[in-house]
Amino acid sequence: MKIAFLTSGGNAPCLNSSIGRLLFNFSKTSSDITAIGYLNGFSGLLKGKSIALPINSNSTRIDSLYEFGGSLIGNSRVKLTNITDCLKKGLIKDDEIPLEVSAKQLIKDKVDILFTIGGDDTNTTAKDLKNFINSNNIDITVIGIPKTIDNDIFPVRRSLGSYTAAKYGAIFFENIVNENFMAEKHLIVHEVMGRNSGWLSAFTAKMYFDKLDQKDFDIINKKRYEIHGIYLPERELNFDKEIERLSNVMEQTNCLNLFVCEGAFLEEIEKDLGRTGNSVQKDAFGHVRLDSVNAAKWFSELISQEIDFDRILIQKSGYFSRSAAPNSDDLDYIFKICDFAFDNALKANSGVVGEDQRTGQLSCIDFNEIKGDKGLDINSKWFLELIHRIEK
């Protein structure tokens, strides 16, 4: 039996660990199993570039993967049905079809089971590949492992690595917030990753408050350490009322600490760009390139027109938090999901493994049911408590 891995999309604190746990499980079955990893996701699959991965009874080498964030086999963002983009990137020739090239490479490499570790774009691309394989009667099992710090894959309840990313985002801001003493009127804007979901921004804020509540504020003014505003794609904002509220907070604290999801205000920003004859940039999947939008900068400039600041500090925790190794809670969850993926792989069950929020059960979910951009539930108890604390 031959198994293969590819990791795709952005980094997350679960990639190496997921590979490691699956290798560990397969190493306990038989000695005739081999494993490879395609380099840089679907790009490596198209190019036929891979490396051998260790399968043996001695788990010491495999265990070391749990200590590292990122992916030893690398990532990329490639959509197999976007032929134009694949041509532009030099991944195929003029007369080639990416799905066909990928399937032929798997056959050439004699792969029996392919594990795709990634978010909604990765798993919808894996869906396209699996559907092509099925339509051509190719006997290869494809299993998706849900990875995204945005936690926005429908109907997966919890994506691997998302809790760790929130924890490290909170740690990041725990240090950055001390900068608000560097001026009499200070604005800190903490931009958190998230395309169309504010889950990571909100859960990072929740974890930050949990850490804040453990500190002793007998001497230091706790209000200067609070989060004074949070801005998410799921919540509409009355800008006039919000600026009035923030002005009142500023009078009391002489500082503002704001959390901005990088996917917030996209409609307003797009309108502003349109007025100047510009437009938002998009990737191969049709998503807005968020690094070209810069929601935090846009919002800080907007409120600076109404509130006077001596110093403005914009900080982004995304790369810091998404590149961390998984914490103990996430690692336990990674083991749970990967053990279930291993069982389904042996049964030749294709699909995305995870807790199905519709049933509450651990399931191997049909690829065709997977969708992206699952929004934050703004009516959930923990989120309503968070908003009440921030906007009280």
Side-chain angles (χ1 to χ4, degrees):
M1 179 187 294
K2 190 170 189 178
I3 61 174
F5 298 87
L6 65 79
T7 54
S8 187
N11 252 344
C14 65
L15 300 174
N16 279 331
S17 297
S18 295
I19 294 171
R21 184 61 176 183
L22 288 164
L23 288 174
F24 169 79
N25 284 331
F26 279 100
S27 71
K28 299 301 180 183
T29 55
S30 66
S31 59
D32 63 348
I33 295 178
T34 57
I36 62 172
Y38 288 108
L39 298 176
N40 301 109
F42 290 104
S43 171
L45 177 57
L46 288 170
K47 292 179 177 180
K49 292 186 176 181
S50 64
I51 59 171
L53 296 173
I55 291 279
N56 53 57
S57 58
N58 182 353
S59 63
T60 302
R61 293 174 65 198
I62 295 173
D63 287 352
S64 66
L65 288 174
Y66 306 147
E67 301 176 12
F68 292 90
S71 169
L72 81 161
I73 55 177
N75 296 16
S76 66
R77 295 186 185 275
V78 174
K79 185 175 177 64
L80 295 180
T81 55
N82 190 333
I83 297 176
T84 301
D85 186 64
C86 289
L87 279 169
K88 182 180 178 181
K89 291 176 178 175
L91 301 177
I92 59 171
K93 298 176 182 177
D94 289 341
D95 58 344
E96 290 181 326
I97 299 172
L99 287 171
E100 185 178 3
V101 173
S102 299
K104 285 182 177 179
Q105 187 63 49
L106 291 171
I107 294 171
K108 179 182 178 181
D109 292 335
K110 299 180 180 180
V111 171
D112 298 294
I113 302 167
L114 173 66
F115 291 98
T116 60
I117 309 173
D120 58 294
D121 289 336
T122 300
N123 286 302
T124 52
T125 298
K127 171 201 72 176
D128 294 330
L129 178 58
K130 180 56 181 171
N131 288 342
F132 182 87
I133 287 171
N134 288 348
S135 66
N136 287 273
N137 298 313
I138 302 170
D139 187 19
I140 298 176
T141 301
V142 181
I143 294 185
I145 307 293
K147 171 276 322 175
T148 173
I149 61 173
D150 297 354
N151 199 25
D152 65 346
I153 305 173
F154 176 85
V156 177
R157 185 186 72 83
R158 173 178 171 181
S159 299
L160 307 189
S162 56
Y163 280 40
T164 297
K167 172 192 172 183
Y168 278 94
I171 291 172
F172 179 91
F173 192 71
E174 186 180 21
N175 286 359
I176 294 299
V177 73
N178 293 301
E179 286 288 322
N180 70 30
F181 287 90
M182 299 301 293
E184 292 184 21
K185 298 178 181 180
H186 203 288
L187 169 64
I188 297 179
V189 184
H190 177 200
E191 185 175 285
V192 184
M193 283 185 169
R195 188 172 64 226
N196 292 318
S197 172
W199 182 89
L200 183 60
S201 297
F203 210 73
T204 300
K206 178 184 181 302
M207 286 194 165
Y208 173 73
F209 273 126
D210 289 344
K211 294 175 72 66
L212 201 66
D213 291 341
Q214 297 174 16
K215 295 180 180 292
D216 184 351
F217 284 94
D218 284 348
I219 298 176
I220 296 177
N221 182 1
K222 187 176 183 179
K223 289 183 178 180
R224 293 185 71 98
Y225 287 81
E226 298 274 348
I227 301 169
H228 305 123
I230 185 167
Y231 308 96
L232 314 171
E234 295 86 351
R235 299 185 78 214
E236 292 186 4
L237 182 67
N238 183 312
F239 286 90
D240 292 335
K241 288 185 177 180
E242 181 63 4
I243 288 175
E244 181 181 356
R245 186 185 71 83
L246 292 177
S247 297
N248 291 332
V249 174
M250 188 69 183
E251 289 181 6
Q252 299 171 27
T253 61
N254 290 323
C255 69
L256 289 177
N257 304 319
L258 309 180
F259 274 39
V260 175
C261 175
E262 65 177 350
F265 313 125
L266 284 185
E267 185 176 340
E268 291 83 359
I269 294 172
E270 191 165 10
K271 287 179 180 177
D272 275 0
L273 288 172
R275 293 187 189 102
T276 59
N278 297 310
S279 60
V280 297
Q281 301 174 29
K282 295 188 177 181
D283 63 19
F285 292 86
H287 304 312
V288 172
R289 293 186 181 276
L290 295 172
D291 57 351
S292 69
V293 173
N294 206 333
K297 183 175 183 293
W298 180 88
F299 189 58
S300 67
E301 290 176 349
L302 181 72
I303 62 176
S304 295
Q305 296 173 17
E306 305 295 334
I307 302 175
D308 183 34
F309 299 106
D310 295 330
R311 185 173 184 243
I312 298 173
L313 183 65
I314 299 172
Q315 293 289 293
K316 302 181 180 185
S317 61
Y319 294 111
F320 174 80
S321 60
R322 80 176 193 174
S323 299
N327 62 15
S328 58
D329 176 60
D330 244 330
L331 192 58
D332 287 344
Y333 194 71
I334 290 167
F335 284 7
K336 175 182 176 180
I337 297 301
C338 288
D339 291 352
F340 186 75
F342 168 72
D343 291 339
N344 278 271
L346 294 183
K347 298 173 184 175
N349 294 333
S350 292
V352 178
V353 295
E355 290 185 87
D356 191 328
Q357 67 184 43
R358 300 167 298 184
T359 64
Q361 300 295 316
L362 199 58
S363 305
C364 189
I365 305 166
D366 190 314
F367 276 111
N368 294 293
E369 297 178 18
I370 299 298
K371 299 176 183 178
D373 298 332
K374 179 185 72 175
L376 166 70
D377 181 3
I378 59 175
N379 293 312
S380 60
K381 184 175 182 293
W382 71 267
F383 181 73
L384 291 174
E385 290 174 349
L386 175 70
I387 290 300
H388 176 74
R389 179 165 184 175
I390 291 174
E391 299 181 353
K392 62 181 182 297

